[in-house]
Amino acid sequence: MVEVVLAKIKIDENRSEQIIVFKEREGERYLPVVIGMAEVNAIKLKLSEITPPRPLTHDLLLNTIQHLGADLKHIVIDKLENNTFYAKLVLQRDGEEILVDARPSDSVAVALRASCPIFVAEEVLDQAGLS
């Protein structure tokens, strides 16, 4: 797995799909991922440090994870199949690792709220990464 950081958000108000771009923390490859407008807005809210008066969906998910006694350790974008990226939330509770299937866009929105690392599988970067 390769740790990445969110490098850029590309927004086109005329399209329903937006692009988030990850960059290797210790490298030069980039990974663009297409996401929806709602998810890009959730990511932008967190990056802008805007706290809504009530929890939004990704806040709710993180609060639920924590109230159930688990911690979000990291997320991993682990597969690319038929132009669709797949991700997992990696939780830990009582020493047990729990993997939860999720869309990359939702995973990133939750990871940013938890201040946890984002990883991409090497084979995904090999398939879709750009130099």
Side-chain angles (χ1 to χ4, degrees):
M1 290 193 303
V2 177
E3 187 173 0
V4 297
V5 294
L6 184 60
K8 190 183 299 185
I9 299 174
K10 293 185 175 190
I11 297 175
D12 181 348
E13 300 289 339
N14 297 319
R15 299 184 65 207
S16 62
E17 297 176 333
Q18 310 308 310
I19 298 174
I20 54 176
V21 181
F22 298 101
K23 182 187 179 299
E24 284 181 292
R25 182 174 290 282
E26 303 289 332
E28 297 301 319
R29 289 180 293 180
Y30 292 86
L31 180 68
V33 177
V34 174
I35 68 172
M37 186 59 92
E39 293 77 17
V40 82
N41 285 334
I43 290 168
K44 283 176 42 184
L45 268 179
K46 180 59 183 169
L47 293 176
S48 301
E49 298 182 4
I50 296 172
T51 304
R54 299 289 298 137
L56 299 178
T57 305
H58 300 99
D59 303 303
L60 172 65
L61 178 56
L62 182 59
N63 291 342
T64 301
I65 289 167
Q66 292 169 340
H67 279 86
L68 290 172
D71 292 311
L72 179 59
K73 290 305 190 188
H74 63 270
I75 67 162
V76 59
I77 299 171
D78 61 349
K79 186 167 76 169
L80 174 59
E81 189 174 277
N82 298 322
N83 293 321
T84 300
F85 288 94
Y86 293 78
K88 302 256 185 327
L89 302 176
V90 181
L91 310 178
Q92 188 166 26
R93 185 182 63 195
D94 298 329
E96 176 188 4
E97 186 174 273
I98 303 164
L99 301 177
V100 179
D101 185 34
R103 297 183 307 173
S105 55
D106 291 324
S107 299
V108 170
V110 176
L112 291 173
R113 284 160 174 75
S115 300
C116 73
I118 301 169
F119 292 95
V120 176
E122 185 71 48
E123 55 270 14
V124 172
L125 274 173
D126 289 343
Q127 285 178 278
L130 306 170
S131 294

